[in-house]
Amino acid sequence: LTLLISPSAIIGIGLLGLAWMYVIKSTQSGSMPIYGFSISAKQASLVMAVISVVVLMYLLSHVFWWTLFSSGFLISLHLLLRDASMHKDEEDKIDMTGDLDLDTSEDAAFLNPASDQV
């Protein structure tokens, strides 16, 4: 929705895409020269990832904060209104006995009652 409303976000994300295309094209041979230094594709991608995060946080900052606070509000509302007393049922509790065997078979000792063990 932000991209539809904000022309600066459209332009910024378009420029970011062009920057990624330039880096990918420049590092097809494995590295790219910058001011006499050879930068590997991995290093260039890492730098572009950091730049992308900073640019997107700037361009979409109001969406980020809106999402963070609305999520926090809904979580708090859920925390206050949820009734967890129905989950305190101990009738279906199973006593586990025996040694924990990490085999994936269903004949593991801890799955069977103690009276069935030899």
Side-chain angles (χ1 to χ4, degrees):
L1 184 61
T2 297
L3 293 178
L4 298 175
I5 296 171
S6 172
S8 63
I10 295 171
I11 293 169
I13 290 176
L15 291 174
L16 188 61
L18 289 174
W20 270 103
M21 286 181 10
Y22 173 76
V23 168
I24 291 170
K25 185 79 172 162
S26 298
T27 58
Q28 279 183 342
S29 64
S31 64
M32 66 186 281
I34 296 181
Y35 297 115
F37 295 104
S38 180
I39 307 295
S40 71
K42 184 177 181 179
Q43 292 170 334
S45 296
L46 183 64
V47 169
M48 275 304 297
V50 170
I51 290 171
S52 296
V53 167
V54 171
V55 167
L56 289 174
M57 286 296 293
Y58 173 74
L59 290 175
L60 305 174
S61 63
H62 54 284
V63 173
F64 170 76
W65 291 114
W66 173 257
T67 305
L68 181 70
F69 286 120
S70 62
S71 301
F73 173 73
L74 291 175
I75 289 169
S76 300
L77 191 64
H78 176 71
L79 174 79
L80 293 172
L81 299 178
R82 181 173 183 263
D83 181 20
S85 62
M86 63 184 254
H87 301 292
K88 295 182 180 178
D89 182 18
E90 301 228 4
E91 292 177 11
D92 59 350
K93 189 175 181 181
I94 298 173
D95 291 328
M96 299 273 196
T97 59
D99 293 331
L100 175 62
D101 187 12
L102 297 178
D103 290 337
T104 57
S105 69
E106 292 190 15
D107 294 330
F110 76 95
L111 291 175
N112 301 314
S115 61
D116 291 345
Q117 293 180 1
V118 178

